[in-house]
Amino acid sequence: MNANQVKEIKELLSKPKNVVIVTHWSPDGDAMGSSLGLYNYLSQKKHKVTVITPNDYPSFLYWLPGNKNVINFSTKAKEAKVAVAKAHIIFCLDFNSLKRIDALGDEVGKSKAKKCIIDHHLQPEDFADFMLHDIKACSTCELIHDFIELMGDKKLINKNISNCLYTGIMTDTGSFRFPSTTPKTHRIIAELIDAGAENSEIHNRIYDDNTEDKLRLLGYCLAEKLTVLKEYGTAFFTLQEDELKRFNYKKGDTEGVVNYALSIAGIRFAAFFVERDGIIKTSFRSKGDFNVNLFSRKHFSGGGHANAAGGMSEISLDETIIKFVSLLAGYKKELHPATSPALKKKGITKAAKKKV
Ligand code: 5GP
Ligand code: MN
């Protein structure tokens, strides 16, 4: 965001406005933390602020301050459409392609309101008037902190805003351990704790809120549903819809499972495939320079970051796995060049070869 843009948006926000904040499909900690952090900031400035999510999100995020005012487009489209139609400015947080907000994207796309993207994902689309975009930022919450600072309002960062921003920084950095975590991240975290963020309590609310079903599903994934292809430096999980049912699946129950595959020594590429609502949702994670954003964009209609991305597949779960395994051969150099005994044992090599 250049100095002129900062000036322009400051001017725009100098009088009470109707503000809409939207975030991506299946919101995570950073999506909700950034949306509600900005909500709590702009509400203090006397704007009429409405946060809209395309669909629901995990219940371990419901405690975030301001959550009770969030409108879920998938259940309250009428209310959401009214807010978008009345908006003077729409903030798009933690995403940068209108596809990422599904049907809500049509409403935002046709709105005459000024649009501001605040985001850290790769390859942003050009649909906004203002953009605070930095792929080096550890989270959108870090950028919301920067935005409030650019507006000259750091003194307005109170306990509610701090709790929201702390949550998104914590969840998007894997509790401050991913390479995206910088000295700046820690400095912001220190400031947020100074301003009232309940750091230890936030960890409890997010990570110690498991149901028995969720833990048993994780155990089942680890014991029964993990495939390790050492020769490709790759490990992945698959889950079918009936398995989700068996464990009374609730939104968020499989979040983070993919990281267990990445935690295996020698594994550089991890994937998670889950059958949900008639499609296969994919999650990709990597260590080092294997770029899962490019992989997902090219093969699974998705995107994200270099080391964490998502996507989808409209063929069956079995076909998706055959496709995935076939693709690995083309990434031998980045992954591992040898053929895989593990694949042969599972009969995947043959099927994969046939498809190629
Ligand atoms: P997750 O695997 O946790 O769903 O997502 C990992 C990262 O990829 C997140 O930053 C998320 O916003 C992004 N992402 C997930 N699914 C998609 C998708 O279908 N398209 C794009 N462009 N990004 C995605
Ligand atoms: Mn994020």
Side-chain angles (χ1 to χ4, degrees):
M1 197 176 271
N2 62 36
N4 278 341
Q5 286 198 315
V6 171
K7 205 171 147 221
E8 203 184 319
I9 202 162
K10 241 178 163 174
E11 238 162 66
L12 194 71
L13 294 172
S14 65
K15 290 200 187 84
K17 291 280 176 343
N18 294 334
V19 179
V20 161
I21 297 171
V22 295
T23 192
H24 61 76
W25 180 261
S26 281
D28 57 9
D30 190 32
M32 292 318 297
S34 58
S35 296
L36 289 168
L38 186 63
Y39 166 89
N40 283 297
Y41 161 61
L42 293 173
S43 299
Q44 271 190 75
K45 306 266 287 178
K46 307 286 176 244
H47 300 292
K48 184 176 177 341
V49 192
T50 310
V51 177
I52 305 173
T53 61
N55 61 340
D56 198 8
Y57 41 93
S59 59
F60 58 73
L61 296 170
Y62 289 173
W63 63 272
L64 285 166
N67 179 71
K68 65 178 188 322
N69 298 323
V70 174
I71 299 178
N72 173 347
F73 185 80
S74 70
T75 53
K76 290 186 175 166
K78 219 168 158 188
E79 224 177 292
K81 282 181 187 175
V82 171
V84 172
K86 283 187 184 164
H88 300 112
I89 176 159
I90 300 177
F91 285 90
C92 298
L93 305 189
D94 205 35
F95 72 97
N96 58 41
S97 153
L98 289 178
K99 275 196 305 217
R100 287 284 286 142
I101 56 173
D102 203 50
L104 178 55
D106 300 337
E107 304 305 314
V108 173
K110 69 187 183 206
S111 156
K112 297 265 186 311
K114 292 274 185 193
K115 284 160 208 131
C116 177
I117 292 176
I118 303 182
D119 178 51
H120 66 138
H121 290 88
L122 293 156
Q123 293 157 281
E125 279 177 12
D126 183 18
F127 66 87
D129 305 274
F130 307 99
M131 184 142 80
L132 183 56
H133 181 261
D134 183 359
I135 60 162
K136 288 206 231 55
C138 73
S139 58
T140 298
C141 278
E142 183 172 307
L143 294 173
I144 295 294
H145 173 275
D146 291 355
F147 178 76
I148 297 174
E149 194 168 20
L150 283 171
M151 296 297 108
D153 281 333
K154 246 173 103 167
K155 59 192 176 305
L156 294 184
I157 298 183
N158 58 15
K159 181 175 170 176
N160 281 348
I161 297 174
S162 298
N163 274 338
C164 293
L165 301 186
Y166 187 100
T167 297
I169 294 174
M170 179 188 85
T171 53
D172 253 29
T173 57
S175 295
F176 319 109
R177 73 188 189 101
F178 296 155
S180 57
T181 311
T182 62
K184 179 182 171 182
T185 311
H186 283 289
R187 275 194 283 273
I188 292 175
I189 283 296
E191 284 177 23
L192 295 176
I193 295 173
D194 274 340
E198 300 159 300
N199 53 320
S200 180
E201 183 54 31
I202 294 173
H203 286 259
N204 292 340
R205 287 176 199 156
I206 301 287
Y207 297 120
D208 296 344
D209 191 43
N210 294 320
T211 57
E212 183 180 339
D213 282 328
K214 181 180 171 182
L215 281 193
R216 292 200 186 277
L217 178 59
L218 170 63
Y220 175 67
C221 287
L222 295 174
E224 311 277 340
K225 304 298 299 186
L226 173 67
T227 303
V228 181
L229 308 176
K230 272 202 179 125
E231 290 74 7
Y232 289 102
T234 298
F236 63 88
F237 295 101
T238 61
L239 271 183
Q240 289 159 345
E241 209 138 28
D242 59 331
E243 293 169 313
L244 294 180
K245 265 195 212 125
R246 201 171 122 196
F247 289 92
N248 300 312
Y249 171 82
K250 304 255 164 12
K251 211 161 184 63
D253 279 0
T254 55
E255 219 160 87
V257 174
V258 64
N259 294 317
Y260 286 93
L262 198 62
S263 75
I264 301 169
I267 295 301
R268 307 183 60 206
F269 182 25
F272 183 82
F273 300 90
V274 59
E275 189 180 19
R276 207 184 295 143
D277 306 326
I279 60 155
I280 310 300
K281 176 71 190 137
T282 68
S283 279
F284 300 113
R285 300 290 186 272
S286 67
K287 271 187 186 147
D289 53 11
F290 184 67
N291 189 320
V292 290
N293 166 59
L294 296 182
F295 181 85
S296 189
R297 264 175 208 268
K298 192 159 175 202
H299 307 294
F300 290 94
S301 319
H305 308 283
N307 295 122
M312 53 92 107
S313 165
E314 288 180 304
I315 50 181
S316 73
L317 184 56
D318 285 350
E319 286 172 318
T320 302
I321 297 308
I322 289 170
K323 171 181 164 176
F324 176 70
V325 172
S326 310
L327 288 168
L328 292 178
Y331 291 91
K332 260 192 219 158
K333 265 195 213 139
E334 288 100 319
L335 299 168
H336 202 291
T339 46
S340 164
L343 276 179
K344 276 185 197 145
K345 214 168 89 192
K346 286 183 183 281
I348 295 173
T349 324
K350 247 190 186 161
K353 269 191 188 145
K354 252 192 246 158
K355 280 262 160 182
V356 170

